[in-house]
Amino acid sequence: MRITRPVPLVCAVVLAPVAPVAATAPAGAVALDRGATDHAEIAIVEDDGTIEETEGARESFPALSLAKLFLGYYVLENGEDEDRALVEDMIRYSEDATAMYMEARYPEAIPAVVEAFSLNDTDPADYWGNSTTTAADVAKFVAAIRRDPVAAPIIDGMGSVADYAADGYPQNFGTSTLSGISGTKFGWSDNLDVHSTVSLGPGYVVAAMVEGSAEELTADVQEAVRDPEKANTAAAEDAESGAAATFAHPRQGRAINPTAAIRKRLRSTLLAPMADLLPDSVVVPSFMARLLPKDSLCT
């Protein structure tokens, strides 16, 4: 009569799959790697007032269509009803014609907003598109109006931005490519040698400007801005893919995943039916593997 013995502890350890533990970035932990870009200037303003910016985030850039944010806010606060009704689409489609109309009606608009919001590095010009601003000023301004009821049409326009602007240019670059973005205003020069964006993120506003193409701006933003959602996804994927390959013993500093060998040895034992049930995620420390008998494992 064969006596069935309890499965030794070592077998129980071998057969127990190791669940990977995914490292996660702290919620809302957007951050800026200032050394990751030599081209774009980027500024992040978090809801708690924390500001992160590249070294040149306060250097002047053409405001381009981001100036429509300043213009639109003034019209929403001070304009006629029929003009306020035009603001949301001006933002959504980046309508130059509407901006020119509004500036003609309210020439004081941009200077007044610059003064009211203390945008000290923004300089209005005779024509809205020739104004200059900085990544820091734009991020600061949008952060200030984000929850202002007056600015709701601006925020709504950014949140439902069209795939293509009124002039046919695609609105899909820069900070809009970060995870969790709920709205963006885009800017680009006529000869496409300057691009800029400002976006609403989860708990922050981020603005970026570059003397270069839309693709260059996107690449710089992706390199420099630590995106919490992407960081967490990458950490989870790394943990899942690495679980079956790595288990370092604290004293030996090396690991093995002998799944195939264990299956082979199980097939010559009482536990043969379990051989094909052994998942690939099983991880066995090297010191423990050396304790396993070479024959009649677990019999």
Side-chain angles (χ1 to χ4, degrees), residues 237-249:
E237 290 174 351
D238 288 346
E240 183 176 353
S241 64
T246 305
F247 185 101
H249 184 257

Side-chain angles (χ1 to χ4, degrees), residues 73-86:
Y73 186 84
Y74 182 88
V75 173
L76 289 171
E77 190 168 45
N78 301 285
E80 301 293 334
D81 288 346
E82 61 269 25
D83 296 332
R84 289 200 295 268
L86 301 175

Side-chain angles (χ1 to χ4, degrees), residues 142 146 158 173-178 181-186 197-201 204-207:
V142 174
R146 183 174 192 171
M158 292 174 66
F173 55 87
T175 54
S176 73
T177 63
L178 296 170
I181 294 300
S182 59
T184 301
K185 180 69 190 82
F186 299 82
T197 57
V198 59
S199 294
L200 304 165
Y204 65 92
V205 171
V206 54

Side-chain angles (χ1 to χ4, degrees), residues 35-281:
T37 171
D38 294 328
H39 305 100
E41 302 303 345
I42 303 172
I44 298 172
V45 178
E46 298 191 41
D47 283 354
D48 64 2
T50 301
I51 300 174
E52 291 191 78
E53 55 190 48
T54 56
E55 186 176 349
R58 297 176 187 270
E59 294 180 2
S60 291
F61 271 75
L64 306 173
S65 285
L66 299 191
K68 293 168 185 169
L69 297 167
F70 309 144
L71 184 58
Y73 186 84
Y74 182 88
V75 173
L76 289 171
E77 190 168 45
N78 301 285
E80 301 293 334
D81 288 346
E82 61 269 25
D83 296 332
R84 289 200 295 268
L86 301 175
V87 171
E88 186 170 334
D89 274 354
M90 178 181 71
I91 301 301
R92 178 179 294 119
Y93 298 101
S94 199
E95 297 170 341
D96 289 355
T98 302
M100 287 189 286
Y101 162 78
M102 288 185 175
E103 186 174 55
R105 290 266 288 167
Y106 309 95
E108 74 282 7
I110 294 178
V113 168
V114 167
E115 181 178 1
F117 286 87
S118 300
L119 305 178
N120 299 325
D121 298 311
T122 298
D123 294 315
D126 291 340
Y127 171 65
W128 62 269
N130 292 336
S131 299
T132 60
T133 190
T134 67
D137 268 5
V138 171
K140 172 184 172 182
F141 174 72
V142 174
I145 69 169
R146 183 174 192 171
R147 294 175 179 83
D148 183 345
V150 171
I154 292 175
I155 304 305
D156 290 345
M158 292 174 66
S160 59
V161 66
D163 293 338
Y164 295 90
D167 67 359
Y169 198 67
Q171 300 190 115
N172 60 356
F173 55 87
T175 54
S176 73
T177 63
L178 296 170
S179 298
I181 294 300
S182 59
T184 301
K185 180 69 190 82
F186 299 82
W188 57 93
S189 59
D190 290 342
N191 59 6
L192 305 182
D193 63 347
V194 179
H195 286 79
S196 57
T197 57
V198 59
S199 294
L200 304 165
Y204 65 92
V205 171
V206 54
M209 302 177 175
V210 73
E211 291 185 7
S213 66
E215 293 75 16
E216 288 173 307
L217 183 61
T218 299
D220 281 354
V221 166
Q222 290 290 328
E223 284 292 323
V225 179
R226 186 179 73 190
D227 189 342
E229 184 173 327
K230 289 184 179 178
N232 288 338
T233 299
E237 290 174 351
D238 288 346
E240 183 176 353
S241 64
T246 305
F247 185 101
H249 184 257
R251 293 172 63 184
Q252 296 175 345
R254 58 194 181 95
I256 61 171
N257 181 19
T259 306
I262 297 298
R263 283 197 186 109
K264 182 178 180 180
R265 291 161 66 181
L266 281 176
R267 289 192 176 98
S268 64
T269 73
L270 290 174
L271 299 177
M274 301 184 68
D276 293 328
L277 300 178
L278 191 62
D280 290 336
S281 60

Side-chain angles (χ1 to χ4, degrees), residues 276-297:
D276 293 328
L277 300 178
L278 191 62
D280 290 336
S281 60
V282 167
V283 180
V284 180
S286 55
F287 82 97
M288 187 171 289
R290 287 198 297 273
L291 298 176
L292 300 177
K294 295 183 178 179
D295 300 305
S296 303
L297 181 66

